Amino acid sequence: MKVSDAMTPEVQLCTPDDTIRDAAQAMAALGVGLLPVTDNERLVGMISDRDIAIRGIGMSRGPEARVGDVMTAEVKYCYEDQDLDEVCANMGDIQVRRLPVLNRSKRLVGIIALGDIALVQGGNGTGATLSRISRPGGQHAQV
């Protein structure tokens, strides 16, 4: 199965010049915790509810702070034509629950999340991926 068979193709975007208030309101309306950040149709970062809390509010930035000031610029991604099992293994290795999905021209075409994988694979692979994602430490540890 390919990533394109499981991904969510409709993705709300924001730009580096949007405010973190705008991003938070979009996340709340959509019930998501992550938005891709694009500039001239190119993926330049991701902003999460965690980025807003830690790099925004936690660093005394107000709601009018720019997304570009708090977003995560180093973006891990996958391609729509990659094998889903390969991407699941990679998600476990880098300890992330979701990845932006690009086409081979590096244009954003969707997002793949652990929940999307669970919908198409059921328990096959989802539990193993989650256990690898959830191990202590990794790049997102607050130590």
Side-chain angles (χ1 to χ4, degrees), residues 7-45:
M7 72 181 193
T8 299
E10 300 291 322
V11 181
Q12 173 74 41
L13 307 173
C14 63
T15 71
D17 292 325
D18 288 336
T19 66
I20 61 173
R21 177 194 325 253
D22 294 335
Q25 288 174 339
M27 287 179 198
L30 296 167
V32 299
L34 181 86
L35 295 174
V37 182
T38 59
D39 189 19
N40 293 324
E41 298 184 22
R42 291 287 183 186
L43 185 65
V44 296

Side-chain angles (χ1 to χ4, degrees), residues 4-113:
S4 60
D5 297 324
M7 72 181 193
T8 299
E10 300 291 322
V11 181
Q12 173 74 41
L13 307 173
C14 63
T15 71
D17 292 325
D18 288 336
T19 66
I20 61 173
R21 177 194 325 253
D22 294 335
Q25 288 174 339
M27 287 179 198
L30 296 167
V32 299
L34 181 86
L35 295 174
V37 182
T38 59
D39 189 19
N40 293 324
E41 298 184 22
R42 291 287 183 186
L43 185 65
V44 296
M46 301 290 280
I47 186 161
S48 67
D49 47 8
R50 182 179 172 86
D51 291 330
I52 293 169
I54 305 282
R55 294 187 195 133
I57 306 306
M59 300 298 287
S60 299
R61 293 184 168 116
E64 298 306 314
R66 292 175 354 102
V67 164
D69 295 333
V70 301
M71 71 181 191
T72 299
E74 183 183 323
V75 180
K76 306 292 186 190
Y77 57 88
C78 63
Y79 291 107
E80 65 182 338
D81 60 355
Q82 275 185 279
D83 182 73
L84 190 58
D85 290 335
E86 173 189 350
V87 171
C88 286
N90 187 43
M91 289 170 76
D93 289 343
I94 61 176
Q95 293 186 282
V96 298
R97 296 173 186 266
R98 53 205 165 205
L99 286 172
V101 181
L102 307 180
N103 64 22
R104 290 295 172 170
S105 299
K106 297 243 177 150
R107 300 284 183 199
L108 183 72
V109 295
I111 290 214
I112 185 81

